[in-house]
Amino acid sequence: RGEAKFFVPVLPFLSDWFQYRDTRVDLSWDHDPTRGVTRIFAGREVVFEGEPVDIITEGDELNCQYEQSERYVICSSPLPGKKRVQIVSSER
């Protein structure tokens, strides 16, 4: 069972209330490699307005990157356990 956080600041004051300064996708989960990859919607055009992003990973041998259309980030790891990925604007 995982937890996902998706925050797109529509009004600037909401960023302060939720302690986010930027748009971000933050997902943590218990990874089971037998279930395949984790696919996360984080479209660069839609979510990040085409700006560069940083993909920050936590967890043993976790690899996350955009697929070709840059609509989804695909995460995989051969090892089970707690994993986390944060996708944030590089223009912070």
Side-chain angles (χ1 to χ4, degrees):
R1 185 163 105 168
E3 174 184 332
K5 296 178 184 173
F6 181 75
F7 184 75
V8 179
V10 177
L11 301 171
F13 67 88
L14 290 178
S15 295
D16 294 334
W17 286 358
F18 292 102
Q19 298 177 350
Y20 289 114
R21 289 185 220 147
D22 54 11
T23 301
R24 67 176 56 224
V25 176
D26 186 333
L27 177 71
S28 59
W29 71 100
D30 288 320
H31 182 66
D32 178 355
T34 64
R35 299 190 69 193
V37 300
T38 299
R39 185 173 176 229
I40 305 161
F41 175 75
R44 276 191 16 142
E45 276 304 313
V46 174
V47 178
F48 297 100
E49 298 179 342
E51 295 295 324
V53 299
D54 292 323
I55 300 176
I56 304 157
T57 61
E58 295 176 24
D60 294 333
E61 294 189 38
L62 180 61
N63 178 29
C64 298
Q65 56 189 310
Y66 271 106
E67 42 81 50
Q68 188 174 357
S69 72
E70 295 190 327
R71 291 188 70 213
Y72 295 92
V73 170
I74 307 298
C75 295
S76 63
S77 173
L79 302 176
K82 300 244 183 245
K83 309 292 184 196
R84 181 178 182 194
V85 63
Q86 296 177 66
I87 307 161
V88 298
S89 173
S90 296
E91 303 294 318
R92 314 182 243 170

